[in-house]
Amino acid sequence: MNSRDSEHMIAELNRKEPYELTTTLAEADLIIINTCSVREKPVAKLFSEIGVFKKRRKDGAKIGVCGCTASHLGKDIIKRAPVVDFVLGARNVSKINDVVDTKHAVEISTDYDESSYDFAEYRSNSLKAMVNISIGCDKSCSFCIVPATRGDEISIPSTLIVGEIAKAVKGGAKEVMLLGQNVNNYGRRFGSDDEKCDFVELLRKISSIDGLERIRFTSPHPLHMDDKFLEEFASNPKICKQIHVPLQSGSTSLLKEMKRGYSKEWFLDRCRKIRELAPDASISTDIIVGFPGESDDDFEETIDVLERVRFEQLFSFKYSPRPHTPAAEYQNQVDPTVASERLSRLQARHTEILDEIMDAQLGTIHQVYFDELKPNGRIAGRSDDGKLVFVEGSEELLSQIVPVKISKASRGALDGIVVDHP
Ligand code: 5AD
Ligand code: SF4
């Protein structure tokens, strides 16, 4: 989400005057820090980074703080670090030109409606397009700061989405990544009352775009994984067979405390349905350990779900109390050492599972979309089910989808050989 917001800001800045990206700090006239605030660590890092930029920047270079930390700290950022020139919230990226030249401007309203805003075009990789389908989040998971920083959920009109993707396809993209906090809740609320389209209908509209070959999306919510959605996921050949199903916890009582709206049984049943309809799909997840009140038994329930579903990718976090969230006020916080031990155990077991999944790829053939040149004559791409694959090759493979036989497996990626290339 933040990567796409950064692209949006670059595009909007370019409407007014041409900017070029630089990786050399001393060359930059404008430094934008696009922040996350989902856990405490990145917030702490922000202020140390501002200090570094202050010291090493070119004379007169401006510093802007954007994203979720900008939304929740607002003008306090400038109070604490007066060197910051402007603050722009995660839901206000379209207003970058209003703040960039105004000393100490702060734009952080979370009720601002950007859903029908037509952003200018900028893509960091023309072969793969990221496209927002909704902004904000209507849930109130008790650990999560996002609804406070990104505001209520509004879906972007389907005509805008289809138009944006068609444009990206003309520019060379064969793959799109649809973005939203809860993508499969798409269509619940639009800026205008005339719009009507749910996520499955949107997927069908998008798949009819000529030249678009692959559709991915992140993140769906387990609660909204009804049969209609999973059947479309499984049967639509353009939809990549990779799905993120954020668990958070395997304990039904903890899920209730988290206000996630589903039980362990519902989650397992949805994963069973995915495997029944799309046996080759890879399933990834997010897990929080050490949520307030998590007992040893609760944690065992989480391990049990890991054993049953065997997630291919696991994003796991130690619970971090956040401002504006109910769970931060709970009295039964878990001892951080216990939480760390649980996190290590979860990650160690997942690593074993991942090694088994990757080893089983040896000798198999994947359709790989090559989208990135690497040093030493290598080129990288993704299989339909989201695995990172490297082969020896050069430009002529870029933007092609070709069969690759896997010759080497490691934890993070696969190596292979193109088997049938025209
Ligand atoms: N502490 C730890 N992890 C969190 N996440 C969200 N809020 C918190 C928090 N307070 C995790 C969830 C979510 C992912 C994006 O970040 O697992 O799915
Ligand atoms: Fe946060 Fe829950 Fe919304 Fe995801 S669904 S962004 S975890 S509140």
Side-chain angles (χ1 to χ4, degrees), residues 137-141 143-147 181-182 221 248 260:
C137 178
D138 267 359
K139 300 274 185 276
S140 33
C141 302
F143 51 79
C144 185
I145 196 174
V146 170
Q181 241 67 49
N182 288 300
H221 195 294
Q248 313 303 358
R260 291 288 292 172

Side-chain angles (χ1 to χ4, degrees), residues 106-276:
V106 178
E107 279 284 357
I108 52 164
S109 76
T110 49
D111 50 10
Y112 185 63
D113 183 3
E114 269 184 343
S115 65
S116 53
Y117 185 83
D118 208 356
F119 283 95
E121 265 303 276
Y122 172 83
R123 301 205 176 271
S124 50
N125 182 342
S126 62
L127 304 179
K128 267 193 308 197
M130 293 180 276
V131 173
N132 289 93
I133 65 164
S134 58
I135 55 174
C137 178
D138 267 359
K139 300 274 185 276
S140 33
C141 302
S142 58
F143 51 79
C144 185
I145 196 174
V146 170
T149 60
R150 289 193 177 263
D152 291 344
E153 184 174 318
I154 303 186
S155 300
I156 294 168
S158 61
T159 42
L160 267 184
I161 297 170
V162 169
E164 190 183 335
I165 298 173
K167 216 193 249 175
V169 168
K170 272 209 186 98
K174 286 185 180 162
E175 181 175 308
V176 66
M177 170 67 89
L178 309 176
L179 298 172
Q181 241 67 49
N182 288 300
V183 285
N184 52 341
N185 199 30
Y186 177 83
R188 196 181 127 108
R189 188 191 309 121
F190 290 96
S192 129
D193 290 343
D194 311 336
E195 275 283 335
K196 270 185 190 56
C197 177
D198 68 14
F199 189 50
V200 168
E201 286 158 358
L202 179 71
L203 287 170
R204 289 186 188 147
K205 285 184 193 184
I206 293 172
S207 20
S208 68
I209 297 171
D210 275 345
L212 180 71
E213 309 222 13
R214 288 184 161 191
I215 303 169
R216 299 186 197 273
F217 48 79
T218 199
S219 290
H221 195 294
L223 180 64
H224 303 297
M225 289 197 174
D226 55 19
D227 286 357
K228 182 180 162 193
F229 161 63
L230 292 182
E231 277 156 17
E232 183 66 21
F233 167 73
S235 63
N236 185 328
K238 286 196 180 180
I239 300 180
C240 292
K241 300 301 173 263
Q242 170 191 24
I243 190 159
H244 189 64
V245 196
L247 170 66
Q248 313 303 358
S249 167
S251 152
T252 297
S253 66
L254 224 59
L255 286 168
K256 219 181 224 159
E257 294 298 318
M258 290 176 162
K259 307 239 174 339
R260 291 288 292 172
Y262 54 85
S263 62
K264 176 187 183 188
E265 287 65 37
W266 168 261
F267 185 93
L268 286 173
D269 181 68
R270 295 297 82 191
C271 292
R272 181 198 55 76
K273 189 83 188 172
I274 294 168
R275 291 263 145 85
E276 174 194 316

